[in-house]
Amino acid sequence: MQDLADVASVSARLEAVLSRLAGRFRSMPESKLLGRTGDGRPRAVLGHELAGLVALAAQGVEERNGGSAPEWRMLPFDGPFVVGDQIGVTGHDLVAACARAGVGAQVEVWAPGELGGGRVSVDELLGRVLGAAEGLGRVL
């Protein structure tokens, strides 16, 4: 039962970070959304990349029992004003996928190439997503 508690703890932390980021993006004016960060990319693009990464992680959890990596579905870019909602929704989807599956920390799931690819433990996958989310929070 400790595995489920560990996954729930990381999931809760991840959900909190993603919720904060979603709120930040939702409240950004257009000039800030389209403004460039230190690497030259607009904030909206970085937020969309995170939302896409979270969506892929959720797909990897949902399709964990497949014999090969899933056919990854990319999250469409629908403009800068929906990025906050995309982060919020995909974050909720990832946490819900883990809860529905009742997966423990050592259960293997599929990771998209952006998160290392192949089979990884769910706690590793969540940790990688959390790292990406916290990294984005630092550059905003």
Side-chain angles (χ1 to χ4, degrees):
M1 208 43 112
Q2 182 63 29
D3 278 355
L4 291 176
D6 293 343
V7 170
S9 174
V10 174
S11 292
R13 186 170 158 208
L14 177 61
E15 189 170 35
V17 169
L18 292 174
S19 180
R20 278 194 304 276
L21 283 172
R24 287 178 71 183
F25 274 96
R26 287 180 185 123
S27 67
M28 277 185 202
E30 181 178 17
S31 61
K32 189 129 179 162
L33 282 167
L34 299 178
R36 298 186 183 277
T37 61
D39 70 358
R41 294 184 296 159
R43 284 176 185 82
V45 169
L46 296 176
H48 176 260
E49 287 175 359
L50 176 65
L53 188 72
V54 175
L56 292 174
Q59 183 182 355
V61 172
E62 291 167 349
E63 298 183 29
R64 70 191 174 283
N65 294 325
S68 61
E71 187 173 320
W72 299 107
R73 297 181 302 270
M74 305 319 280
L75 184 68
F77 183 73
D78 290 328
F81 298 110
V82 299
V83 170
D85 290 335
Q86 286 180 319
I87 292 170
V89 169
T90 59
H92 175 76
D93 288 351
L94 175 56
V95 171
C98 289
R100 272 192 313 274
V103 293
Q106 298 308 310
V107 170
E108 288 196 340
V109 297
W110 290 106
E114 298 86 343
L115 290 173
R119 303 279 291 173
V120 299
S121 64
V122 73
D123 61 340
E124 174 120 2
L125 180 75
L126 293 176
R128 290 177 186 178
V129 173
L130 180 60
E134 289 173 337
L136 177 58
R138 287 190 292 275
V139 300
L140 292 182

